Amino acid sequence: MDIQSFIQTSNLDTKSLITGGIFIVFTTILGGIALLQTYCEHRHYNLLREASVAILVGLLIGVITEFQVLQNVNYNNSSEIFFFILLPIIVFKEGYNLNKQHFMKNFFYVVMYGIFGTIFNFIVLAALNYSITNTNIFWIPPQIDSQNNNPGNSRYASIFYSACISSKDSAVSLSVLEFEHAPKLHSIIFGEQILNDVVVFALSKTVEKFHNQSEVKNDWEWYSVFIFIGWILANLIVGLIVGVLVGSIATWITKESRFLSEHSSVVTAFTIYIAYFSFCVCESLGFCGVLAVLLCGIMLSHYQTYNLPKISSTSSKITIKALAYISETIIYFYIGYMVTENAIVKEQNDTNLKSQAYTFLLVQYFFFSPLAKLSSMLLAHGLAIILRMKTKGPWRINKYEFFLLFYSGLIKGVVAYALICEQIVGGKDYYKIIQTTSLYMVVFTTLINGGTLKYICEWAYKQMEKDISGSQSRTQSAQSQAIRQTFIQEDLAAYKQLKHKSEKFFKNFDETYIKPFLIYKYKERKVDIILAKKMEKNKTRYEKEQDFKMYDDSIRQQREELELHKKKRNELTQIDYNDSDSDEDEEQNNHQNGELSEIKKSKQQNGDYKHD
């Protein structure tokens, strides 16, 4: 065989070469994003969070692809990849890594802000958007001969946008408000994020179904509101049943199939298969699959881990977390890339469309989104106050905590844009506006609100420290304790001892009926399982105490260095002044001593010294 003919470039497959080159570039970009994210976190660049780095890199690649050389490269962007491949593993990770104990302790506020807060936010935002979409000021009316020239399309487009943009992203908030320093806020934000995703998916799915029916029958009757609420409840109930059922069956399989636990990699793959299976079952039935995959993750995490060796459960959690991280990075990168590739930007000749779309975006970012979030939180918090009139101690939320929850809730994430891309609601004439607006809302809130959240938290820490330390000793240890323990106005001892009634009921029911059915030889291994949990808890507590000690030492060291610096600065500024004062005093004293000596001599000569 001729070697030269074998290696000739003419024999290369051009299509395979291009495909391989695209994947090489894509994997290189993802690797570079991972390095940049860890570097920014290591260097404590607060303005650049993980999501911000991915968006900025995507924006840079989008600008590069605008060059004429790369204009001929075709990019096949399918929304089904986002919705059926990337999103399920992200939601599954939230349920699989859920801290159930802290979730149940903050169950009241989680439900208030996660469910009622999201519903109130959707209602207020939909009302505000509907009030301006009929004015034709910020909304593009379709052409007369357009197939989308339907009054219902404008209504459904604004409602669908309101449902999707009501979602929030907690990744940045949780990275700033760590559990060690803010246990209650961390748990509330994490739990609120989970329920927020469920409610937002149910709302968007219901609006999508109503829009599809309106294309056949364009009528909105007085009873349509009740049908709308019924479809939302149906989505939640079906997701609940499918998630619990699939999770229980998968856990029972691992209980009976003991040979499966011998292979850690197979167990991890089986867990991931079950997550996608639960999501696809609900979606194939026409219902929202988010609640199903979320509850499936909670069921597997709570029961399946006891049927597996420790190495298998640990590897499953690490793998799922890694896959979720990759999925989030890809979506954020794509969002940054689409800043230069969206439909509004490509409409170079239609300046009227751009001006109205960008004006609508500014109204959403500066007015409607903050107003809707603040109103929803006030309504949810007012409902919480009414239901918890006599509550004291750990349940209280002060004004600074409320502001942190409000500011972190303005950050939009991957769910908002993925839902917009999943289905065209309202026709193509309106879809361009809501897609572009949701895209830029995610970019702006992630870069601006997410980047400044750290500084907002530091300001809130200082204000809460002043309020708390005013009644305490002004020692260094008291101040550091105030930051660590009571800056969120809660007693950690009372927080740990707090037992919610729902938590007690579920725990008794779980120990009596569910665990013996789903866990392998639970009654015989119960003592060992409880002992292992206590040992793990004590180990975690010891590690947290060490973290607290390091945190206190760092705070104390920073303040001591600051006071030492101020002391040295004062000493340096007082050297010349003290030296000049001492020289003048010495001259003045010498002059006065000379005058006194002359007076004494004259008195001695006159014989008046003794008399004086």
Side-chain angles (χ1 to χ4, degrees), residues 287-306:
F287 296 95
C288 176
V290 173
L291 183 58
V293 69
L294 177 66
L295 290 176
C296 182
I298 295 175
M299 292 287 294
L300 294 178
S301 174
H302 189 62
Y303 300 108
Q304 187 194 47
T305 52
Y306 297 113

Side-chain angles (χ1 to χ4, degrees), residues 288-555:
C288 176
V290 173
L291 183 58
V293 69
L294 177 66
L295 290 176
C296 182
I298 295 175
M299 292 287 294
L300 294 178
S301 174
H302 189 62
Y303 300 108
Q304 187 194 47
T305 52
Y306 297 113
N307 296 330
L308 305 175
K310 186 176 181 180
I311 187 174
S312 299
S313 60
T314 304
S315 63
S316 297
K317 289 185 178 181
I318 294 175
T319 304
I320 292 170
K321 192 174 181 180
L323 291 176
Y325 164 76
I326 295 173
S327 300
E328 289 179 345
T329 302
I330 292 175
I331 296 179
Y332 278 119
F333 169 78
Y334 180 76
I335 289 173
Y337 171 76
M338 287 301 295
V339 170
T340 60
E341 297 292 329
N342 62 82
I344 300 297
V345 174
K346 291 300 182 182
E347 294 287 344
Q348 299 180 356
N349 298 325
D350 197 344
T351 56
N352 186 32
L353 174 64
K354 289 184 177 182
S355 61
Q356 293 185 350
Y358 291 146
T359 305
F360 182 75
L361 168 65
L362 294 176
V363 171
Q364 294 293 322
Y365 180 78
F366 288 104
F367 297 102
F368 283 6
S369 181
L371 182 60
K373 185 62 180 178
L374 181 61
S375 303
S376 63
M377 287 194 63
L378 289 174
L379 291 172
H381 194 69
L383 182 61
I385 293 175
I386 295 174
L387 297 177
R388 294 278 181 177
M389 290 290 291
K390 298 181 180 180
T391 302
K392 297 180 180 180
W395 286 120
R396 287 185 174 181
I397 292 181
N398 60 29
K399 56 185 178 181
Y400 301 109
E401 296 169 1
F402 184 85
F403 180 75
L404 289 177
L405 291 174
F406 161 73
Y407 194 79
S408 62
L410 295 176
I411 304 175
K412 311 301 178 183
V414 298
V415 174
Y417 186 69
L419 286 175
I420 292 288
C421 294
E422 193 267 337
Q423 182 69 27
I424 298 178
V425 176
K428 295 182 179 179
D429 295 307
Y430 298 111
Y431 179 73
K432 293 179 181 179
I433 301 177
I434 63 175
Q435 184 189 32
T436 304
T437 304
S438 62
L439 171 68
Y440 284 104
M441 284 290 291
V442 174
V443 174
F444 289 163
T445 56
T446 303
L447 295 179
I448 299 175
N449 298 74
T452 57
L453 180 61
K454 179 66 174 179
Y455 303 101
I456 297 294
C457 291
E458 290 179 352
W459 169 81
Y461 294 167
K462 293 179 181 179
Q463 297 300 319
M464 284 184 273
E465 181 188 356
K466 290 180 181 178
D467 295 343
I468 296 168
S469 59
S471 58
Q472 296 180 352
S473 174
R474 297 295 298 178
T475 60
Q476 299 294 333
S477 59
Q479 290 181 353
S480 61
Q481 285 290 107
I483 294 178
R484 176 169 64 86
Q485 288 190 352
T486 57
F487 82 92
I488 55 172
Q489 294 288 347
E490 69 179 5
D491 183 4
L492 289 183
Y495 175 81
K496 293 179 180 178
Q497 294 175 1
L498 182 64
K499 294 291 183 182
H500 200 270
K501 293 181 179 180
S502 59
E503 182 183 1
K504 291 182 180 180
F505 172 78
F506 177 77
K507 186 175 182 180
N508 294 331
F509 184 80
D510 190 32
E511 293 287 342
T512 307
Y513 301 102
I514 302 179
K515 284 185 176 180
F517 176 72
L518 295 178
I519 298 177
Y520 177 72
K521 294 182 179 181
Y522 179 71
K523 293 183 178 180
E524 300 176 5
R525 301 168 52 214
K526 183 176 180 179
V527 178
D528 297 334
I529 291 174
I530 294 175
L531 182 61
K533 289 175 65 176
K534 288 184 177 179
M535 292 178 62
E536 185 67 24
K537 184 182 293 186
N538 292 332
K539 180 182 177 181
T540 306
R541 184 182 303 172
Y542 174 76
E543 293 176 353
K544 289 181 179 180
E545 289 178 354
Q546 296 298 318
D547 292 339
F548 283 147
K549 185 177 181 301
M550 293 175 61
Y551 180 74
D552 289 338
D553 293 341
S554 63
I555 293 294

